[in-house]
């Protein structure tokens, strides 16, 4: 009992004689962020411990966290948190930093209209997605865009901001028709992507393309070409419905008719052309309001042939004309290297033909020859290679010449054709008797007055069609069958004969001469009247007139006996020695018709 009392007394004494103990020091033992780095929208734990009983405040926000050991925070930016502990008048602080990075997107969703036209803008909604496939409103990354269309106009990189709510709208325009791919990818994480497929149709036609012409070809070959309508970006304008027109630098080209494209053509169509002119040639296709297209081809000549050409379509019998022989193909392309020898034939058996003709390099495939046709009508001149008969060609001319139609039966004096002495270029017309004069009156030569003594004729004619032959008048009786002899004895030279063409009239006449002797029996030896016997027969010929065709004369009438009755310029008579008309005018003279045909 005493021991216990003593002990208490000692403790009491000790307590009354010392100061109270000092409070323990205030401290924050732990304050950390776990994790210290988060993406935007992610949370982190702030873990802490402090002296027991301390009052704890968390800034920013002045949040009372007393009695707690952790809190969850979701910072939107890099943030430094401060923990303040207060107890027994003591204060302690400690900080913990949290860095906030951009929110990552697991993928992107691209939304757009289903169909686009080349060159037009297409609007896309780009949504950032989280791992669950929901829109990530906290995404702050940068998106880059690519496409398989090398011509596409793509949006620039876009960076998402808080106001975007994880979605942005961009636009792109595609140029290549077809199904195009449009890709959005995180610039920092290429694996985070979104892909859209856009069906792009061609724009309206802007130009034409022409394809298929070879580099070289042969005249006359059938060549296939293709015409395609393109939009401004090189796509086939499959909706083109315009009309295409074709032209060529080849004036002989056989081109397609104007063609209007139909929906079934889908902007492209094949055609055929035939080009015939040798040399560098173009073929062009055009359509209203579009840029046209032109193709080039070098055309060579086809198989060599010959052509014969005259200076004009007409020739005149008996007159030489020029014919040009050209080595060329059937399209008229010159074969300048032709070196063959050519022989000539004609449909005119009377033609005067050129000799064989040999070409040299200097001729450049062309030479000129002379030919004379002598038969009226369409006549040909044919040139043929003497070695290769297939190399041949012809030309033709309408040959004009003189045609005389004898007068109908009748007439006491007739103007008839001497066929043996005539040709298509020269007409010899014989003036002959067709009846007998009345019998001579009895008497001597110097007393008889009636009977034929002279004959003459003034014959109007077209002097643009004929002229005098080298000999205009012939007084020698023809010896052809039926034989005839002169009606009038013209005697020795100088004879009383004459003919000329002047002022559109052919003047002609002959006369016997009365010769008076100076004495004796010779005084009665004078030429006088001669009896005329019927034609055709002996002693029926007066004289002949020879008219030559004028080269260049137009077809038509030279003179027409049927029209002479009303022509006051026509005169014709057979007269006796006294100068009286035995026969005269159209009542006694039968005149035929001379024409140029």
């Amino acid at each position: 009992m005493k021991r216990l009392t003593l002990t208490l007394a000692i403790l009491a004494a000790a307590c009354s004689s010392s100061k109270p103990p000092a409070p323990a020091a205030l401290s924050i033992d732990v304050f950390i962020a776990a994790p210290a780095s988060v993406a935007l929208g992610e949370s982190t734990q702030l873990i802490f411990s402090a002296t027991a009983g301390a009052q704890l405040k968390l800034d920013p926000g002045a949040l009372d966290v007393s009695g707690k050991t952790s809190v969850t925070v979701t910072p939107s930016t890099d943030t430094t948190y401060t923990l303040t502990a207060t107890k027994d008048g003591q204060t302690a602080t400690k900080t913990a930093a949290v860095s906030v990075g951009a929110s990552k997107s697991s993928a992107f969703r691209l939304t757009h209209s289903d169909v686009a036209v080349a060159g037009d803008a297409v609007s896309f909604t780009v949504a950032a997605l989280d791992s669950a496939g929901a829109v990530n409103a906290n995404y702050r990354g940068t998106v880059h865009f690519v496409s398989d269309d090398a011509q596409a106009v793509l949006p620039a990189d876009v960076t998402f901001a808080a106001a975007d709510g994880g979605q942005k709208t961009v636009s792109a325009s595609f140029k290549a028709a077809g199904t195009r791919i449009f890709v959005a990818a995180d610039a920092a994480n290429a694996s985070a992507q979104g892909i859209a497929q856009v069906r792009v149709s061609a724009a309206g036609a802007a130009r034409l393309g022409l394809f298929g012409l070879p580099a070289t070809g042969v005249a006359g070959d059938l060549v296939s070409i293709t015409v395609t309508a393109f939009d401004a970006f090189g796509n086939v304008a499959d909706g083109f419905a315009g009309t295409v027109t074709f032209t060529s630098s080849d004036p002989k080209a056989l081109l397609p008719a104007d063609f209007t494209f139909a929906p079934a053509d889908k902007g492209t169509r094949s055609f055929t052309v035939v080009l015939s002119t040798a040399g560098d040639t173009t073929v062009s296709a055009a359509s209203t309001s579009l840029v046209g297209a032109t193709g080039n081809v070098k055309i060579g000549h086809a198989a060599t042939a010959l052509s014969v050409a005259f200076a004009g379509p007409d020739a005149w019998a008996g007159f030489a004309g020029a014919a040009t022989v050209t080595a060329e193909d059937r399209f008229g392309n010159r074969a300048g290297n032709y070196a063959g020898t050519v022989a000539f034939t004609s449909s005119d058996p009377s033609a005067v033909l050129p000799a064989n003709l040999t070409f040299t390099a200097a001729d450049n495939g062309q030479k000129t020859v002379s030919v004379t046709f002598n038969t009226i009508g369409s006549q040909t001149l044919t040139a043929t290679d003497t070695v290769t008969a297939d190399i041949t060609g012809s030309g033709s001319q309408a040959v004009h010449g003189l045609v005389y139609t004898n007068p109908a039966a009748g007439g006491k004096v007739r103007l008839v054709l001497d066929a043996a002495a005539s040709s298509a270029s020269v007409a010899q017309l014989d003036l002959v008797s067709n009846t007998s004069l009345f019998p001579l009156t009895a008497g001597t030569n110097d007393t008889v007055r009636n009977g034929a003594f002279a004959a003459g004729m003034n014959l109007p004619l077209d002097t643009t069609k004929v002229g005098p032959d080298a000999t205009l008048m012939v007084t020698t009786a023809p010896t052809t069958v039926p034989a005839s002899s002169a009606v009038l004895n013209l005697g020795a030279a100088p004879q009383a004969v004459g003919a000329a063409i002047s002022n559109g009239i052919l003047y002609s006449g002959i006369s016997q001469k009365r010769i008076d002797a100076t004495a004796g029996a010779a005084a009665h030896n004078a030429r006088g009247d001669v009896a005329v016997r019927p034609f055709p027969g002996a002693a029926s010929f007066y004289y002949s007139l020879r008219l030559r065709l004028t080269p260049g004369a137009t077809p038509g009438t030279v003179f027409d006996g049927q029209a002479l009755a009303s022509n006051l310029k026509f005169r014709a008579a057979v007269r006796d020695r006294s100068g009286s008309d035995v026969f005269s005018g159209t009542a006694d003279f039968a005149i035929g018709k001379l024409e140029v045909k």
Side-chain angles (χ1 to χ4, degrees):
M1 186 68 177
K2 289 181 179 180
R3 182 179 295 175
L4 178 58
T5 303
L6 179 60
T7 301
L8 292 173
I10 294 172
L11 290 172
C15 291
S16 60
S17 60
S18 63
K19 295 179 179 180
L26 181 63
S27 67
I28 297 175
D29 300 319
V30 175
F31 185 39
I32 63 173
S37 297
V38 295
L40 181 64
E42 293 180 344
S43 299
T44 187
Q45 291 288 318
L46 296 179
I47 301 171
F48 48 87
S49 66
T51 301
Q55 184 179 3
L56 300 178
K57 182 181 69 171
L58 181 65
D59 287 304
L63 180 65
D64 187 358
V65 293
S66 301
K68 297 181 179 180
T69 58
S70 68
V71 293
T72 300
V73 293
T74 307
S76 59
T77 61
D78 292 347
T79 304
T80 299
Y81 292 92
T82 302
L83 183 65
T84 302
T86 304
K87 184 180 181 181
D88 298 331
Q90 299 182 70
T91 300
T93 62
K94 203 165 191 176
T95 61
V98 178
S99 62
V100 180
S103 176
K104 295 180 180 179
S105 178
S106 296
F108 297 94
R109 182 176 60 239
L110 304 179
T111 307
H112 63 91
S113 57
D114 189 49
V115 178
V117 176
D120 290 351
V122 180
S123 179
F124 292 88
T125 298
V126 183
L129 305 179
D130 60 21
S131 57
V135 174
N136 182 359
N138 294 314
Y139 177 68
R140 301 292 185 272
T142 297
V143 178
H144 177 69
F145 302 93
V146 295
S147 173
D148 64 338
D149 182 355
Q151 301 181 77
V153 178
L154 301 176
D157 291 359
V158 294
T159 299
F160 282 63
D164 296 323
Q167 295 187 102
K168 289 186 76 70
T169 299
V170 297
S171 66
S173 60
F174 301 93
K175 308 295 179 64
T179 300
R180 302 275 68 86
I181 296 175
F182 181 64
V183 179
D186 189 295
N189 179 19
S191 62
Q193 294 183 348
I195 299 176
Q197 290 185 331
V198 184
R199 291 187 308 211
V200 180
S201 60
R207 65 179 179 88
L208 296 177
L210 189 150
F211 311 96
L213 274 178
T216 59
V218 175
D221 284 355
L222 195 68
V223 178
S224 178
I225 61 173
T226 299
V227 176
T228 302
F230 294 97
D231 66 11
F233 313 108
N235 304 302
V236 176
D238 49 12
F240 176 62
T243 298
V244 174
T245 300
F246 296 88
T247 56
S248 174
S249 61
D250 179 356
K252 301 177 183 177
L254 298 179
L255 301 172
D258 292 357
F259 181 80
T260 300
F261 278 62
D265 296 317
K266 295 189 178 299
T268 188
R269 180 84 177 193
S270 293
F271 305 89
T272 56
V273 298
V274 177
L275 303 173
S276 302
T277 302
D280 293 328
T281 302
T282 62
V283 176
S284 299
S287 184
T288 303
S289 77
L290 301 188
V291 177
T294 297
N296 300 278
V297 57
K298 188 177 186 64
I299 298 296
H301 65 74
T304 299
L306 297 175
S307 70
V308 178
F310 298 96
D314 299 306
W316 286 265
F319 295 92
T324 300
V325 182
T326 304
E328 59 188 12
D329 64 16
R330 61 192 176 97
F331 304 105
N333 299 304
R334 180 82 61 85
N337 59 350
Y338 177 68
T341 297
V342 172
F344 296 91
T345 57
S346 176
S347 60
D348 181 357
S350 301
V352 180
L353 300 177
N356 286 4
L357 186 67
T358 299
F359 285 73
T360 66
D363 296 322
N364 190 31
Q366 189 174 81
K367 290 179 79 71
T368 299
V369 295
S370 177
V371 60
T372 302
F373 293 113
N374 287 301
T375 303
I376 296 173
S378 179
Q379 304 296 343
T380 61
L381 178 66
T382 300
T384 303
D385 187 282
T386 56
V387 175
T388 306
D390 288 343
I391 301 178
T392 186
S394 298
S396 62
Q397 279 190 307
V399 180
H400 303 293
L402 295 174
V403 175
Y404 184 74
T405 304
N406 285 329
K412 297 176 181 178
V413 179
R414 294 168 61 82
L415 188 65
V416 296
L417 179 70
D418 189 334
S422 299
S423 66
S425 58
V426 175
Q428 179 166 315
L429 305 176
D430 296 339
L431 190 66
V432 297
S433 177
N434 195 34
T435 187
S436 297
L437 292 174
F438 45 82
L440 292 176
T441 303
T444 62
N445 283 344
D446 61 344
T447 61
V448 173
R449 291 291 182 267
N450 50 1
F453 188 80
M457 180 172 57
N458 298 345
L459 179 62
L461 47 72
D462 187 343
T463 55
T464 66
K465 301 183 188 307
V466 295
D469 193 24
T471 300
L472 177 57
M473 174 180 277
V474 178
T475 57
T476 302
T479 59
T480 56
V481 178
S484 61
S485 59
V487 172
L488 303 180
N489 186 350
L490 301 179
Q495 296 177 329
V497 301
I501 297 176
S502 178
N503 296 321
I505 298 176
L506 169 56
Y507 297 95
S508 61
I510 62 172
S511 177
Q512 297 183 151
K513 295 188 294 185
R514 182 175 179 87
I515 301 174
D516 291 325
T518 57
H524 301 287
N525 186 19
R527 295 187 184 90
D529 300 340
V530 178
V532 177
R533 289 186 291 275
F535 173 87
S540 62
F541 175 79
Y542 288 102
Y543 58 85
S544 297
L545 297 171
R546 290 180 60 83
L547 296 174
R548 175 170 288 277
L549 174 69
T550 299
T554 57
T557 301
V558 179
F559 63 81
D560 183 1
Q562 295 296 314
L564 293 176
S566 61
N567 193 324
L568 298 179
K569 295 181 180 181
F570 174 69
R571 297 284 189 273
V574 174
R575 291 178 176 172
D576 63 15
R577 183 182 297 179
S578 66
S580 299
D581 290 348
V582 179
F583 306 134
S584 65
T586 55
D588 294 329
F589 278 71
I591 308 297
K593 184 177 183 180
L594 182 62
E595 301 173 274
V596 176
K597 288 190 174 180

